[in-house]
Amino acid sequence: GSRFVATVESRAHPEYKRKLVAATADSTALTVCFDGGWTHAPHRVLRNKTLERWEAAGCPMPGCRPGEGEIAGQSASGEPILRYEDTAPREGMTGDIAEMALYAGEGAGKIDDLPGAGLLVTRLWDEARRFLEPECAGRT
């Protein structure tokens, strides 16, 4: 999933895409920090200031989190996006995009470009073929 967020066609916010491309192997965390309607449901995100402030405060429950209720940004239609919401940044959103929920899998550190989705699928297929059919490698 994270790999397809970092494609040209993805409607993810450009800053979110840049953060995915810049991620390293240790850039993600499994957390319940950004809960929205998913209280106590773990999810993996890129580490950011919101997560670090929450961890530094001892990972408090909803209602006791630092900066809770602050507006972190706005949707393209002007709806407020509160800190700790589970909304991933999309095109047209404004505000402190880097402090929102930037979902990312453990492989985020392997993302190093923003290809078109078609090219990405071709690359993934080629890699899978080489792995699954080693005797076909080099043949077309």
Side-chain angles (χ1 to χ4, degrees):
S2 303
R3 189 61 191 100
F4 283 94
V5 171
T7 60
V8 173
E9 294 86 353
S10 165
R11 295 191 62 219
H13 193 280
E15 178 67 11
Y16 181 11
K17 293 179 186 185
R18 280 191 291 276
K19 293 286 186 181
L20 282 169
V21 171
T24 61
D26 60 349
S27 293
T28 67
L30 185 63
T31 183
V32 295
C33 178
F34 299 96
D35 61 358
W38 295 78
T39 305
H40 307 299
H43 44 274
R44 187 167 292 281
V45 296
L46 292 175
R47 298 191 69 76
N48 63 18
K49 289 180 185 176
T50 298
L51 176 62
E52 290 167 359
R53 284 176 56 198
W54 178 74
E55 290 173 332
C59 306
M61 299 299 293
C64 302
R65 302 176 288 194
E68 192 164 10
E70 292 176 357
I71 295 174
Q74 290 185 319
S75 69
S77 63
E79 296 291 320
I81 300 166
L82 301 178
R83 190 168 310 284
Y84 301 105
E85 275 193 31
D86 59 348
T87 304
R90 294 182 298 277
E91 289 176 340
M93 288 183 171
T94 59
D96 200 346
I97 302 300
E99 291 204 26
M100 294 180 190
L102 305 175
Y103 298 101
E106 290 180 290
K110 295 179 181 177
I111 298 172
D112 60 4
D113 63 354
L114 292 170
L119 176 59
L120 178 58
V121 169
T122 298
R123 288 183 351 197
L124 292 171
W125 175 248
D126 289 345
E127 288 175 23
R129 262 189 53 214
R130 283 193 301 274
F131 177 75
L132 296 172
E133 303 174 12
E135 68 276 4
C136 293
R139 286 193 274 166
T140 54

